[in-house]
Amino acid sequence: GPLKPEITITYIAVSAIFFNSGLSLKTEELTSALMHVKLHLFVQIFTLVFFPTAIWLFLQLLSITPINEWLLKGLQTVGCMPPPVSSAVILTKAVGGNEAAAIFNSAFGSFLGIVITPLLLLLFLGSSSSVPFTSIFSQLFMTVVVPLIIGQIVRRYIKDWLERKKPPFGAISSCVLLMIIYTTFCDTFANPNIDLDKFSLIIVVFIIFSVQMSFMFLTFLFSTRNNSGFTPADTVAIIFCSTHKSLTLGIPMLKIVFAGYEHLSLISVPLLIYHPAQILLGSLLVPTIKSWMVSRQKALKLTRQPKAPVKV
């Protein structure tokens, strides 16, 4: 179509989101985030090990139901996807959480996903295909790492202007993300061969929202335990990065792994639903999570303050 999503979305839109993040993020925050190994391990293990395994076990129960089997396979592909390169960062920023950690895990998870996602698809779905790792890796490097570095370099020269004017970075990222979702929906539902029954679609939508809510609650419980070592801002990044799945990386990867598959459109549907659902649910929860984070931070400050000596 006239929007040319194969160029504007694949390259320009994703690059714009990370250039935007590089421009808005303080360099010292990004470097300190690299050292938070425990947080990164938690997010990556939850996303790429626990998530797909839990979905697989759940689908064993659903396989006896009349739900379309290709939509169920699509749910499994959602579980195998890496963290997103945009939505988790935008929502973490909106809450005021650890944005630097969210950016690192989004980028690092995407690079891990290049290797791990096709292997997970092979393990759970038995799809075998020659995946061009080099081209995907180079594309990710050019659209994620390079724009982030350029953004950081540009920030050094216009730092004072940025702090004075405070451009609406969050709004810009949200608009770009909306464009990504719109073009992907158009691409999938323009397929005349898509055979979708309403019952299966409604059930899958309900399952997706239930899975997201359950996993967000689970990550919240784990990251707020006593002696977890995570700050309230870390918990925000963990909630979004661990439960969100990449559409911008996922759809091209599905097209590569399931090339020539007649049911590719149906397999893609759950991911197409999951992505806007995670943004919608995340956006609705932003005020609640923000008020929790602020009150928790105030409570922690009060407990750390030295107590005044008692006069006898």
Side-chain angles (χ1 to χ4, degrees):
L3 292 176
K4 301 286 180 200
E6 65 277 8
I7 298 166
T8 54
I9 298 302
T10 310
Y11 298 100
I12 299 169
V14 177
S15 300
I17 283 172
F18 277 88
F19 174 74
N20 196 22
S21 293
L23 205 59
S24 63
L25 194 71
K26 292 174 183 171
T27 311
E28 55 273 18
E29 286 179 5
L30 196 58
T31 49
S32 68
L34 297 176
M35 302 297 108
H36 208 333
V37 178
K38 190 179 177 182
L39 189 151
H40 309 322
L41 278 173
F42 181 95
V43 170
Q44 301 308 326
I45 290 169
F46 191 96
T47 310
L48 296 168
V49 179
F50 177 81
F51 202 125
T53 308
I55 292 290
W56 182 80
L57 290 169
F58 182 50
L59 291 180
Q60 299 311 299
L61 297 172
L62 291 178
S63 61
I64 58 171
T65 64
I67 300 170
N68 187 301
E69 66 166 314
W70 299 106
L71 286 180
L72 292 181
K73 285 181 188 291
L75 280 173
Q76 185 62 68
T77 65
V78 170
C80 298
M81 289 301 151
V85 291
S86 45
S87 60
V89 175
I90 293 165
L91 289 167
T92 304
K93 186 184 178 74
V95 174
N98 191 339
E99 188 196 351
I103 284 182
F104 177 82
N105 278 288
S106 295
F108 184 57
S110 297
F111 281 111
L112 280 179
I114 296 169
V115 179
I116 294 174
T117 296
L119 293 175
L120 288 172
L121 291 171
L122 181 65
L123 176 67
F124 290 111
L125 296 170
S127 171
S128 58
S129 170
S130 55
V131 181
F133 291 117
T134 313
S135 62
I136 301 176
F137 191 86
S138 59
Q139 185 184 319
L140 267 178
F141 185 78
M142 293 306 294
T143 56
V144 175
V145 179
V146 172
L148 192 66
I149 293 168
I150 293 170
Q152 285 282 286
I153 293 166
V154 172
R155 181 184 168 81
R156 290 183 67 181
Y157 293 100
I158 59 167
K159 189 177 177 181
D160 294 335
W161 181 84
L162 288 172
E163 287 178 2
R164 197 168 61 250
K165 294 287 183 183
K166 297 194 187 308
F169 291 116
I172 294 165
S173 295
S174 299
C175 290
V176 175
L177 196 59
L178 191 64
M179 188 182 170
I180 292 171
I181 294 165
Y182 171 73
T183 53
T184 311
F185 259 96
C186 290
D187 191 34
T188 298
F189 291 103
N191 187 342
N193 301 321
I194 195 161
D195 179 29
L196 204 56
D197 65 285
K198 289 177 182 176
F199 168 76
S200 295
L201 187 62
I202 292 165
I203 295 296
V204 165
V205 171
F206 175 74
I207 290 168
I208 283 168
F209 274 101
S210 302
V211 164
Q212 286 182 11
M213 286 295 290
S214 304
F215 284 180
M216 285 176 92
F217 184 64
L218 203 59
T219 52
F220 176 79
L221 283 180
F222 275 116
S223 59
T224 53
R225 286 179 309 156
N226 290 334
N227 305 319
S228 68
F230 298 126
T231 65
D234 292 340
T235 296
V236 173
I238 287 168
I239 288 170
F240 291 126
C241 290
S242 302
T243 57
H244 281 209
K245 293 291 182 176
S246 178
L247 178 74
T248 47
L249 190 65
I251 292 294
M253 204 170 274
L254 286 181
K255 285 179 179 174
I256 292 163
V257 177
F258 294 102
Y261 229 67
E262 62 173 314
H263 298 288
L264 175 61
S265 293
L266 280 174
I267 290 172
S268 306
V269 167
L271 184 58
L272 278 169
I273 297 167
Y274 194 97
H275 191 83
Q278 71 191 9
I279 296 165
L280 177 65
L281 195 60
S283 302
L284 289 172
L285 290 172
V286 161
T288 310
I289 296 172
K290 193 170 189 173
S291 63
W292 168 82
M293 188 187 76
V294 171
S295 61
R296 184 70 183 252
Q297 284 172 334
K298 283 178 181 174
L300 287 170
K301 275 183 184 176
L302 287 171
T303 54
R304 284 172 188 162
Q305 280 178 359
K307 291 178 181 178
V310 181
K311 290 182 180 180
V312 182

